[in-house]
Amino acid sequence: MRRTSGARRGPLTLLATTLLAVVALTLPAAPGAAAEPRATGEATDATCEPRVAADTRQGADQLLSLIGGLRAKGHDDAEIDQRLASFACLSRVDRPGGAGATTEIPPADQVNVTAPAVYSIGQVNGKERWVAFAEWNWNSVPGQPMTGNQAVATWFDTEVSPVLQVVHYAGNTSAFPNVSREDATDVNGWGVGFLIWPEKSGGDMNVATGSLAMVFEGQGACTNLTARSAFAHTWNNTGINGLTVGAGGVGYDWTDQIDRALTVSQPTTVSGICP
């Protein structure tokens, strides 16, 4: 059950609501208006009715496609937040979490990974629920051959209860259409990670752009949460056989200690993650 307002509505309020609904039904709809969410207006109040449910596989798929489409058109974070609010009643709750993590493996210069954007979904069956989105994109296609798995992951420093996870990835051209998967290599209370077999052709590749969604609930006492994401890149004869997500980050089973890179996002934090 979605969260509903606790306020009681009197006869005058009901009459006004009915009249507004009648007026809205008599107004002509603009062509294509139903195909794309509104560009303006807040929709994060307690009585918001989502057009898609972010905590379903189909809904998460639609929202990842929406985010990718808006990003490709040049929309910024604020505009994406507004669309997610009006389309799925999502309320942005994260804030910058300080300095990024340092690793002994250098980052891949060509790939950008966003800090996870965390949104409140609201109450479902009496429990608060959240969704974390992360995105990546390549500035250019690597020149070296890629013969082993790449990896994308999001993880938390606080244990949560995972609900579902979805990853999207595609090329910049029609050579590599969007792929949607939920078969994570590892998913647990600390986060989620996927292995992706790379393909390249004609100056494009299947992982040129992508995004990852994880829906979760709180676990244990109320606490703060810090989230990060990463893209692990391999080339030549190096690959990744597997990965494990934990409180300290992601452990990768690299096939070799050379020809590898790890781009880690800046962190974001969220207050009041409660069961």
Side-chain angles (χ1 to χ4, degrees):
M1 179 180 291
R2 300 283 169 185
R3 184 190 303 164
T4 56
S5 171
R8 299 181 62 184
R9 299 188 295 175
L12 291 178
T13 303
L14 292 174
L15 177 59
T17 303
T18 303
L19 290 174
L20 287 173
V22 171
V23 172
L25 289 173
T26 59
L27 291 174
E36 189 172 351
R38 296 187 304 274
T40 60
E42 292 297 325
T44 56
D45 61 90
T47 58
C48 177
E49 291 293 334
R51 292 168 61 181
V52 299
D55 51 352
T56 65
R57 165 61 195 271
Q58 182 180 10
D61 264 337
Q62 287 181 268
L63 294 182
L64 287 176
S65 296
L66 172 64
I67 292 170
L70 292 172
R71 195 71 75 186
K73 294 177 181 178
H75 292 270
D76 61 18
D77 289 347
E79 292 169 319
I80 289 174
D81 289 351
Q82 198 170 54
R83 292 294 183 92
L84 292 175
S86 64
F87 196 46
C89 302
L90 298 184
S91 176
R92 184 88 177 248
V93 293
D94 66 79
R95 64 180 188 275
T102 58
T103 67
E104 63 180 19
I105 302 171
D109 293 336
Q110 307 107 306
V111 65
N112 306 303
V113 181
T114 67
V118 184
Y119 298 81
S120 171
I121 295 174
Q123 268 196 8
V124 181
N125 297 325
K127 297 194 70 175
E128 292 292 330
R129 191 167 281 186
W130 293 265
V131 57
F133 295 114
E135 304 168 69
W136 78 86
N137 72 278
W138 284 80
N139 300 322
S140 60
V141 175
Q144 312 95 330
M146 296 160 62
T147 60
N149 282 319
Q150 318 293 292
V152 294
T154 293
W155 69 95
F156 312 122
D157 67 343
T158 298
E159 192 170 12
V160 301
S161 295
V163 175
L164 64 85
Q165 68 287 330
V166 181
V167 67
H168 275 198
Y169 52 92
N172 288 315
T173 69
S174 59
F176 295 107
N178 183 70
V179 173
S180 176
R181 290 171 44 195
E182 56 184 328
D183 57 332
T185 304
D186 189 26
V187 58
N188 57 57
W190 302 107
V192 60
F194 286 84
L195 293 181
I196 304 174
W197 185 262
E199 299 177 51
K200 294 199 300 180
S201 177
D204 196 10
M205 61 179 176
N206 64 330
V207 290
T209 66
S211 52
L212 172 63
M214 181 173 176
V215 178
F216 63 93
E217 295 175 346
Q219 184 181 129
C222 293
T223 185
N224 296 340
L225 173 148
T226 298
R228 289 183 173 88
S229 295
F231 190 103
H233 170 47
T234 64
W235 61 95
N236 291 334
N237 293 322
T238 302
I240 305 170
N241 285 331
L243 59 79
T244 304
V245 184
V250 182
Y252 301 94
D253 181 11
W254 307 95
T255 63
D256 207 334
Q257 303 304 300
I258 61 172
D259 299 335
R260 58 182 184 157
L262 180 62
T263 301
V264 180
S265 77
Q266 294 294 312
T268 52
T269 62
V270 182
S271 301
I273 299 294
C274 299

